[in-house]
PDB file of all heavy atoms in Angstrom:
ATOM      1  N   GLN A 229      71.867-126.525  21.494  1.00  0.00           N
ATOM      2  CA  GLN A 229      72.571-125.341  21.606  1.00  0.00           C
ATOM      3  C   GLN A 229      71.882-124.079  21.083  1.00  0.00           C
ATOM      4  O   GLN A 229      72.152-123.004  21.415  1.00  0.00           O
ATOM      5  CB  GLN A 229      73.968-125.382  21.058  1.00  0.00           C
ATOM      6  CG  GLN A 229      74.809-126.447  21.924  1.00  0.00           C
ATOM      7  CD  GLN A 229      76.312-126.458  21.388  1.00  0.00           C
ATOM      8  OE1 GLN A 229      76.581-126.454  20.166  1.00  0.00           O
ATOM      9  NE2 GLN A 229      77.192-126.550  22.240  1.00  0.00           N
ATOM     10  N   SER A 230      70.950-124.327  20.081  1.00  0.00           N
ATOM     11  CA  SER A 230      70.301-123.350  19.451  1.00  0.00           C
ATOM     12  C   SER A 230      68.730-123.254  19.859  1.00  0.00           C
ATOM     13  O   SER A 230      68.104-122.234  19.635  1.00  0.00           O
ATOM     14  CB  SER A 230      70.296-123.402  17.980  1.00  0.00           C
ATOM     15  OG  SER A 230      69.831-124.575  17.508  1.00  0.00           O
ATOM     16  N   VAL A 231      68.288-124.269  20.468  1.00  0.00           N
ATOM     17  CA  VAL A 231      66.944-124.258  20.972  1.00  0.00           C
ATOM     18  C   VAL A 231      66.927-124.680  22.379  1.00  0.00           C
ATOM     19  O   VAL A 231      67.181-125.899  22.867  1.00  0.00           O
ATOM     20  CB  VAL A 231      66.104-125.352  20.173  1.00  0.00           C
ATOM     21  CG1 VAL A 231      64.723-125.406  20.715  1.00  0.00           C
ATOM     22  CG2 VAL A 231      66.065-125.080  18.695  1.00  0.00           C
ATOM     23  N   ASN A 232      66.841-123.736  23.216  1.00  0.00           N
ATOM     24  CA  ASN A 232      66.776-124.020  24.709  1.00  0.00           C
ATOM     25  C   ASN A 232      66.170-122.895  25.483  1.00  0.00           C
ATOM     26  O   ASN A 232      66.062-121.821  24.963  1.00  0.00           O
ATOM     27  CB  ASN A 232      68.252-124.275  25.233  1.00  0.00           C
ATOM     28  CG  ASN A 232      69.125-123.064  25.041  1.00  0.00           C
ATOM     29  OD1 ASN A 232      69.055-121.994  25.774  1.00  0.00           O
ATOM     30  ND2 ASN A 232      70.106-123.178  24.186  1.00  0.00           N
ATOM     31  N   ALA A 233      65.723-123.153  26.665  1.00  0.00           N
ATOM     32  CA  ALA A 233      64.972-122.213  27.442  1.00  0.00           C
ATOM     33  C   ALA A 233      65.775-120.947  27.873  1.00  0.00           C
ATOM     34  O   ALA A 233      65.372-119.881  27.790  1.00  0.00           O
ATOM     35  CB  ALA A 233      64.457-122.876  28.696  1.00  0.00           C
ATOM     36  N   SER A 234      67.069-121.112  28.252  1.00  0.00           N
ATOM     37  CA  SER A 234      67.888-120.113  28.721  1.00  0.00           C
ATOM     38  C   SER A 234      67.971-119.040  27.625  1.00  0.00           C
ATOM     39  O   SER A 234      67.839-117.892  27.958  1.00  0.00           O
ATOM     40  CB  SER A 234      69.297-120.622  29.083  1.00  0.00           C
ATOM     41  OG  SER A 234      70.080-119.570  29.554  1.00  0.00           O
ATOM     42  N   GLN A 235      68.321-119.449  26.428  1.00  0.00           N
ATOM     43  CA  GLN A 235      68.372-118.512  25.377  1.00  0.00           C
ATOM     44  C   GLN A 235      67.094-117.773  25.071  1.00  0.00           C
ATOM     45  O   GLN A 235      67.118-116.538  24.758  1.00  0.00           O
ATOM     46  CB  GLN A 235      68.944-119.304  24.097  1.00  0.00           C
ATOM     47  CG  GLN A 235      69.062-118.383  22.874  1.00  0.00           C
ATOM     48  CD  GLN A 235      67.886-118.406  21.937  1.00  0.00           C
ATOM     49  OE1 GLN A 235      67.067-119.376  21.949  1.00  0.00           O
ATOM     50  NE2 GLN A 235      67.653-117.231  21.265  1.00  0.00           N
ATOM     51  N   GLN A 236      66.048-118.472  25.103  1.00  0.00           N
ATOM     52  CA  GLN A 236      64.743-117.924  24.816  1.00  0.00           C
ATOM     53  C   GLN A 236      64.166-116.996  25.818  1.00  0.00           C
ATOM     54  O   GLN A 236      63.427-116.083  25.574  1.00  0.00           O
ATOM     55  CB  GLN A 236      63.678-119.061  24.468  1.00  0.00           C
ATOM     56  CG  GLN A 236      64.097-119.828  23.191  1.00  0.00           C
ATOM     57  CD  GLN A 236      62.925-120.674  22.616  1.00  0.00           C
ATOM     58  OE1 GLN A 236      61.762-120.269  22.925  1.00  0.00           O
ATOM     59  NE2 GLN A 236      63.278-121.749  22.029  1.00  0.00           N
ATOM     60  N   ILE A 237      64.585-117.285  27.069  1.00  0.00           N
ATOM     61  CA  ILE A 237      64.122-116.288  28.125  1.00  0.00           C
ATOM     62  C   ILE A 237      64.643-114.858  27.747  1.00  0.00           C
ATOM     63  O   ILE A 237      63.975-113.813  28.036  1.00  0.00           O
ATOM     64  CB  ILE A 237      64.673-116.760  29.515  1.00  0.00           C
ATOM     65  CG1 ILE A 237      63.852-117.968  29.902  1.00  0.00           C
ATOM     66  CG2 ILE A 237      64.490-115.648  30.593  1.00  0.00           C
ATOM     67  CD1 ILE A 237      64.398-118.706  31.154  1.00  0.00           C
ATOM     68  N   GLU A 238      65.886-114.777  27.269  1.00  0.00           N
ATOM     69  CA  GLU A 238      66.535-113.464  26.983  1.00  0.00           C
ATOM     70  C   GLU A 238      66.120-112.962  25.640  1.00  0.00           C
ATOM     71  O   GLU A 238      66.489-111.761  25.420  1.00  0.00           O
ATOM     72  CB  GLU A 238      68.129-113.676  27.063  1.00  0.00           C
ATOM     73  CG  GLU A 238      68.580-114.174  28.375  1.00  0.00           C
ATOM     74  CD  GLU A 238      68.256-113.381  29.550  1.00  0.00           C
ATOM     75  OE1 GLU A 238      68.195-112.091  29.377  1.00  0.00           O
ATOM     76  OE2 GLU A 238      67.990-113.878  30.670  1.00  0.00           O
ATOM     77  N   ASP A 239      65.464-113.630  24.831  1.00  0.00           N
ATOM     78  CA  ASP A 239      65.167-113.205  23.458  1.00  0.00           C
ATOM     79  C   ASP A 239      63.694-112.790  23.381  1.00  0.00           C
ATOM     80  O   ASP A 239      62.772-113.646  23.462  1.00  0.00           O
ATOM     81  CB  ASP A 239      65.392-114.293  22.519  1.00  0.00           C
ATOM     82  CG  ASP A 239      65.069-113.916  21.002  1.00  0.00           C
ATOM     83  OD1 ASP A 239      64.613-112.828  20.856  1.00  0.00           O
ATOM     84  OD2 ASP A 239      65.084-114.820  20.211  1.00  0.00           O
ATOM     85  N   PRO A 240      63.330-111.445  23.330  1.00  0.00           N
ATOM     86  CA  PRO A 240      61.982-111.052  23.283  1.00  0.00           C
ATOM     87  C   PRO A 240      61.240-111.599  22.178  1.00  0.00           C
ATOM     88  O   PRO A 240      59.930-111.648  22.161  1.00  0.00           O
ATOM     89  CB  PRO A 240      62.128-109.533  23.211  1.00  0.00           C
ATOM     90  CG  PRO A 240      63.482-109.262  22.655  1.00  0.00           C
ATOM     91  CD  PRO A 240      64.250-110.383  23.113  1.00  0.00           C
ATOM     92  N   GLU A 241      61.815-111.998  20.962  1.00  0.00           N
ATOM     93  CA  GLU A 241      61.142-112.670  19.957  1.00  0.00           C
ATOM     94  C   GLU A 241      61.037-114.191  19.960  1.00  0.00           C
ATOM     95  O   GLU A 241      60.639-114.726  18.902  1.00  0.00           O
ATOM     96  CB  GLU A 241      61.914-112.174  18.548  1.00  0.00           C
ATOM     97  CG  GLU A 241      61.995-110.573  18.446  1.00  0.00           C
ATOM     98  CD  GLU A 241      60.566-109.965  18.401  1.00  0.00           C
ATOM     99  OE1 GLU A 241      59.630-110.553  17.838  1.00  0.00           O
ATOM    100  OE2 GLU A 241      60.371-108.960  19.046  1.00  0.00           O
ATOM    101  N   SER A 242      61.389-114.731  21.017  1.00  0.00           N
ATOM    102  CA  SER A 242      61.464-116.210  21.038  1.00  0.00           C
ATOM    103  C   SER A 242      60.016-116.876  21.157  1.00  0.00           C
ATOM    104  O   SER A 242      59.062-116.169  21.551  1.00  0.00           O
ATOM    105  CB  SER A 242      62.240-116.635  22.247  1.00  0.00           C
ATOM    106  OG  SER A 242      61.557-116.322  23.491  1.00  0.00           O
ATOM    107  N   ILE A 243      59.938-118.137  20.934  1.00  0.00           N
ATOM    108  CA  ILE A 243      58.707-118.830  20.948  1.00  0.00           C
ATOM    109  C   ILE A 243      58.331-118.867  22.450  1.00  0.00           C
ATOM    110  O   ILE A 243      57.128-118.684  22.740  1.00  0.00           O
ATOM    111  CB  ILE A 243      58.893-120.318  20.545  1.00  0.00           C
ATOM    112  CG1 ILE A 243      59.196-120.353  18.979  1.00  0.00           C
ATOM    113  CG2 ILE A 243      57.673-121.185  20.810  1.00  0.00           C
ATOM    114  CD1 ILE A 243      59.503-121.679  18.416  1.00  0.00           C
ATOM    115  N   LEU A 244      59.194-119.026  23.363  1.00  0.00           N
ATOM    116  CA  LEU A 244      58.864-118.999  24.773  1.00  0.00           C
ATOM    117  C   LEU A 244      58.176-117.736  25.141  1.00  0.00           C
ATOM    118  O   LEU A 244      57.101-117.761  25.892  1.00  0.00           O
ATOM    119  CB  LEU A 244      60.102-119.249  25.587  1.00  0.00           C
ATOM    120  CG  LEU A 244      59.946-119.183  27.199  1.00  0.00           C
ATOM    121  CD1 LEU A 244      58.946-120.130  27.682  1.00  0.00           C
ATOM    122  CD2 LEU A 244      61.380-119.189  27.846  1.00  0.00           C
ATOM    123  N   ASN A 245      58.780-116.614  24.816  1.00  0.00           N
ATOM    124  CA  ASN A 245      58.089-115.299  25.190  1.00  0.00           C
ATOM    125  C   ASN A 245      56.847-115.087  24.381  1.00  0.00           C
ATOM    126  O   ASN A 245      55.937-114.426  25.028  1.00  0.00           O
ATOM    127  CB  ASN A 245      59.106-114.233  25.005  1.00  0.00           C
ATOM    128  CG  ASN A 245      60.085-114.089  26.124  1.00  0.00           C
ATOM    129  OD1 ASN A 245      59.744-114.088  27.370  1.00  0.00           O
ATOM    130  ND2 ASN A 245      61.441-114.023  25.798  1.00  0.00           N
ATOM    131  N   PHE A 246      56.693-115.630  23.253  1.00  0.00           N
ATOM    132  CA  PHE A 246      55.392-115.567  22.530  1.00  0.00           C
ATOM    133  C   PHE A 246      54.357-116.376  23.341  1.00  0.00           C
ATOM    134  O   PHE A 246      53.178-115.908  23.413  1.00  0.00           O
ATOM    135  CB  PHE A 246      55.531-116.042  21.209  1.00  0.00           C
ATOM    136  CG  PHE A 246      54.285-115.754  20.329  1.00  0.00           C
ATOM    137  CD1 PHE A 246      54.071-114.448  19.829  1.00  0.00           C
ATOM    138  CD2 PHE A 246      53.340-116.685  19.989  1.00  0.00           C
ATOM    139  CE1 PHE A 246      52.995-114.115  19.139  1.00  0.00           C
ATOM    140  CE2 PHE A 246      52.209-116.392  19.285  1.00  0.00           C
ATOM    141  CZ  PHE A 246      52.081-115.126  18.841  1.00  0.00           C
ATOM    142  N   TYR A 247      54.672-117.588  23.817  1.00  0.00           N
ATOM    143  CA  TYR A 247      53.712-118.398  24.614  1.00  0.00           C
ATOM    144  C   TYR A 247      53.311-117.500  25.851  1.00  0.00           C
ATOM    145  O   TYR A 247      52.151-117.522  26.237  1.00  0.00           O
ATOM    146  CB  TYR A 247      54.315-119.627  25.122  1.00  0.00           C
ATOM    147  CG  TYR A 247      53.916-120.848  24.220  1.00  0.00           C
ATOM    148  CD1 TYR A 247      54.786-121.240  23.127  1.00  0.00           C
ATOM    149  CD2 TYR A 247      52.747-121.504  24.420  1.00  0.00           C
ATOM    150  CE1 TYR A 247      54.453-122.284  22.289  1.00  0.00           C
ATOM    151  CE2 TYR A 247      52.458-122.614  23.609  1.00  0.00           C
ATOM    152  CZ  TYR A 247      53.266-122.886  22.587  1.00  0.00           C
ATOM    153  OH  TYR A 247      52.878-124.073  21.714  1.00  0.00           O
ATOM    154  N   LYS A 248      54.294-116.812  26.468  1.00  0.00           N
ATOM    155  CA  LYS A 248      53.885-115.997  27.706  1.00  0.00           C
ATOM    156  C   LYS A 248      52.848-115.000  27.330  1.00  0.00           C
ATOM    157  O   LYS A 248      51.845-114.674  28.099  1.00  0.00           O
ATOM    158  CB  LYS A 248      55.106-115.374  28.279  1.00  0.00           C
ATOM    159  CG  LYS A 248      56.027-116.401  28.948  1.00  0.00           C
ATOM    160  CD  LYS A 248      57.268-115.657  29.446  1.00  0.00           C
ATOM    161  CE  LYS A 248      58.197-116.729  30.138  1.00  0.00           C
ATOM    162  NZ  LYS A 248      59.358-116.038  30.742  1.00  0.00           N
ATOM    163  N   ALA A 249      53.118-114.353  26.120  1.00  0.00           N
ATOM    164  CA  ALA A 249      52.188-113.345  25.645  1.00  0.00           C
ATOM    165  C   ALA A 249      50.848-113.847  25.329  1.00  0.00           C
ATOM    166  O   ALA A 249      49.713-113.201  25.736  1.00  0.00           O
ATOM    167  CB  ALA A 249      52.718-112.547  24.470  1.00  0.00           C
ATOM    168  N   VAL A 250      50.663-114.966  24.617  1.00  0.00           N
ATOM    169  CA  VAL A 250      49.373-115.451  24.275  1.00  0.00           C
ATOM    170  C   VAL A 250      48.626-116.058  25.372  1.00  0.00           C
ATOM    171  O   VAL A 250      47.424-115.954  25.432  1.00  0.00           O
ATOM    172  CB  VAL A 250      49.440-116.477  23.072  1.00  0.00           C
ATOM    173  CG1 VAL A 250      49.999-115.840  21.793  1.00  0.00           C
ATOM    174  CG2 VAL A 250      50.271-117.680  23.484  1.00  0.00           C
ATOM    175  N   LEU A 251      49.356-116.556  26.327  1.00  0.00           N
ATOM    176  CA  LEU A 251      48.663-117.160  27.558  1.00  0.00           C
ATOM    177  C   LEU A 251      48.078-115.975  28.400  1.00  0.00           C
ATOM    178  O   LEU A 251      47.000-116.065  28.921  1.00  0.00           O
ATOM    179  CB  LEU A 251      49.547-117.965  28.381  1.00  0.00           C
ATOM    180  CG  LEU A 251      49.955-119.278  27.880  1.00  0.00           C
ATOM    181  CD1 LEU A 251      50.907-120.020  28.765  1.00  0.00           C
ATOM    182  CD2 LEU A 251      48.882-120.202  27.382  1.00  0.00           C
ATOM    183  N   LYS A 252      48.777-114.879  28.478  1.00  0.00           N
ATOM    184  CA  LYS A 252      48.236-113.673  29.060  1.00  0.00           C
ATOM    185  C   LYS A 252      47.045-113.130  28.366  1.00  0.00           C
ATOM    186  O   LYS A 252      46.049-112.782  28.968  1.00  0.00           O
ATOM    187  CB  LYS A 252      49.383-112.621  29.233  1.00  0.00           C
ATOM    188  CG  LYS A 252      48.883-111.322  29.948  1.00  0.00           C
ATOM    189  CD  LYS A 252      50.112-110.362  30.009  1.00  0.00           C
ATOM    190  CE  LYS A 252      49.706-109.022  30.733  1.00  0.00           C
ATOM    191  NZ  LYS A 252      50.814-108.043  30.761  1.00  0.00           N
ATOM    192  N   MET A 253      47.165-113.055  26.978  1.00  0.00           N
ATOM    193  CA  MET A 253      46.046-112.537  26.168  1.00  0.00           C
ATOM    194  C   MET A 253      44.833-113.433  26.377  1.00  0.00           C
ATOM    195  O   MET A 253      43.608-113.019  26.495  1.00  0.00           O
ATOM    196  CB  MET A 253      46.459-112.649  24.707  1.00  0.00           C
ATOM    197  CG  MET A 253      45.361-112.237  23.671  1.00  0.00           C
ATOM    198  SD  MET A 253      45.773-112.728  22.057  1.00  0.00           S
ATOM    199  CE  MET A 253      45.530-114.523  22.167  1.00  0.00           C
ATOM    200  N   ARG A 254      45.073-114.849  26.436  1.00  0.00           N
ATOM    201  CA  ARG A 254      43.997-115.723  26.557  1.00  0.00           C
ATOM    202  C   ARG A 254      43.122-115.466  27.906  1.00  0.00           C
ATOM    203  O   ARG A 254      41.892-115.519  27.783  1.00  0.00           O
ATOM    204  CB  ARG A 254      44.508-117.098  26.663  1.00  0.00           C
ATOM    205  CG  ARG A 254      43.584-118.226  26.876  1.00  0.00           C
ATOM    206  CD  ARG A 254      44.227-119.642  26.831  1.00  0.00           C
ATOM    207  NE  ARG A 254      43.415-120.725  27.139  1.00  0.00           N
ATOM    208  CZ  ARG A 254      42.501-121.309  26.388  1.00  0.00           C
ATOM    209  NH1 ARG A 254      42.381-120.882  25.186  1.00  0.00           N
ATOM    210  NH2 ARG A 254      41.852-122.293  26.874  1.00  0.00           N
ATOM    211  N   LYS A 255      43.740-115.093  28.891  1.00  0.00           N
ATOM    212  CA  LYS A 255      43.070-114.841  30.169  1.00  0.00           C
ATOM    213  C   LYS A 255      42.411-113.502  30.183  1.00  0.00           C
ATOM    214  O   LYS A 255      41.386-113.240  30.702  1.00  0.00           O
ATOM    215  CB  LYS A 255      43.937-115.121  31.376  1.00  0.00           C
ATOM    216  CG  LYS A 255      44.319-116.519  31.611  1.00  0.00           C
ATOM    217  CD  LYS A 255      45.032-116.808  32.846  1.00  0.00           C
ATOM    218  CE  LYS A 255      45.240-118.297  33.005  1.00  0.00           C
ATOM    219  NZ  LYS A 255      46.110-118.573  34.171  1.00  0.00           N
ATOM    220  N   GLU A 256      43.072-112.529  29.561  1.00  0.00           N
ATOM    221  CA  GLU A 256      42.612-111.156  29.543  1.00  0.00           C
ATOM    222  C   GLU A 256      41.249-111.102  28.673  1.00  0.00           C
ATOM    223  O   GLU A 256      40.343-110.431  29.075  1.00  0.00           O
ATOM    224  CB  GLU A 256      43.555-110.207  28.912  1.00  0.00           C
ATOM    225  CG  GLU A 256      43.070-108.773  28.941  1.00  0.00           C
ATOM    226  CD  GLU A 256      44.174-107.753  28.333  1.00  0.00           C
ATOM    227  OE1 GLU A 256      45.397-108.255  28.054  1.00  0.00           O
ATOM    228  OE2 GLU A 256      43.849-106.555  28.198  1.00  0.00           O
ATOM    229  N   TYR A 257      41.218-111.920  27.647  1.00  0.00           N
ATOM    230  CA  TYR A 257      40.058-112.022  26.810  1.00  0.00           C
ATOM    231  C   TYR A 257      39.371-113.434  26.901  1.00  0.00           C
ATOM    232  O   TYR A 257      38.997-113.984  25.982  1.00  0.00           O
ATOM    233  CB  TYR A 257      40.357-111.753  25.335  1.00  0.00           C
ATOM    234  CG  TYR A 257      40.907-110.326  25.171  1.00  0.00           C
ATOM    235  CD1 TYR A 257      42.333-110.190  25.116  1.00  0.00           C
ATOM    236  CD2 TYR A 257      40.133-109.184  25.021  1.00  0.00           C
ATOM    237  CE1 TYR A 257      42.913-108.894  24.901  1.00  0.00           C
ATOM    238  CE2 TYR A 257      40.631-107.922  24.881  1.00  0.00           C
ATOM    239  CZ  TYR A 257      41.919-107.768  24.721  1.00  0.00           C
ATOM    240  OH  TYR A 257      42.519-106.511  24.595  1.00  0.00           O
ATOM    241  N   ARG A 258      39.265-113.860  28.172  1.00  0.00           N
ATOM    242  CA  ARG A 258      38.755-115.225  28.457  1.00  0.00           C
ATOM    243  C   ARG A 258      37.366-115.438  27.922  1.00  0.00           C
ATOM    244  O   ARG A 258      36.985-116.561  27.556  1.00  0.00           O
ATOM    245  CB  ARG A 258      38.824-115.423  29.951  1.00  0.00           C
ATOM    246  CG  ARG A 258      38.070-114.484  30.835  1.00  0.00           C
ATOM    247  CD  ARG A 258      37.950-114.921  32.261  1.00  0.00           C
ATOM    248  NE  ARG A 258      39.255-115.042  32.803  1.00  0.00           N
ATOM    249  CZ  ARG A 258      40.000-114.159  33.481  1.00  0.00           C
ATOM    250  NH1 ARG A 258      39.622-112.927  33.427  1.00  0.00           N
ATOM    251  NH2 ARG A 258      41.258-114.439  33.973  1.00  0.00           N
ATOM    252  N   ASP A 259      36.545-114.436  27.858  1.00  0.00           N
ATOM    253  CA  ASP A 259      35.226-114.522  27.407  1.00  0.00           C
ATOM    254  C   ASP A 259      35.106-114.996  25.908  1.00  0.00           C
ATOM    255  O   ASP A 259      34.195-115.656  25.483  1.00  0.00           O
ATOM    256  CB  ASP A 259      34.355-113.308  27.555  1.00  0.00           C
ATOM    257  CG  ASP A 259      35.025-112.030  26.903  1.00  0.00           C
ATOM    258  OD1 ASP A 259      36.180-111.744  27.095  1.00  0.00           O
ATOM    259  OD2 ASP A 259      34.366-111.393  26.038  1.00  0.00           O
ATOM    260  N   ILE A 260      36.148-114.535  25.217  1.00  0.00           N
ATOM    261  CA  ILE A 260      36.228-114.944  23.730  1.00  0.00           C
ATOM    262  C   ILE A 260      36.984-116.212  23.601  1.00  0.00           C
ATOM    263  O   ILE A 260      36.574-117.175  22.955  1.00  0.00           O
ATOM    264  CB  ILE A 260      36.923-113.705  22.973  1.00  0.00           C
ATOM    265  CG1 ILE A 260      35.923-112.634  22.837  1.00  0.00           C
ATOM    266  CG2 ILE A 260      37.276-114.251  21.584  1.00  0.00           C
ATOM    267  CD1 ILE A 260      36.522-111.542  22.000  1.00  0.00           C
TER     268      ILE A 260
END
């Protein structure tokens, strides 16, 4: 009830949204 995808999709500070950010960063700076 406190750890689930639905809740994290709506929470900008969630682990899920952080994964989305770092995966985007990884490709933007793929050379590094």
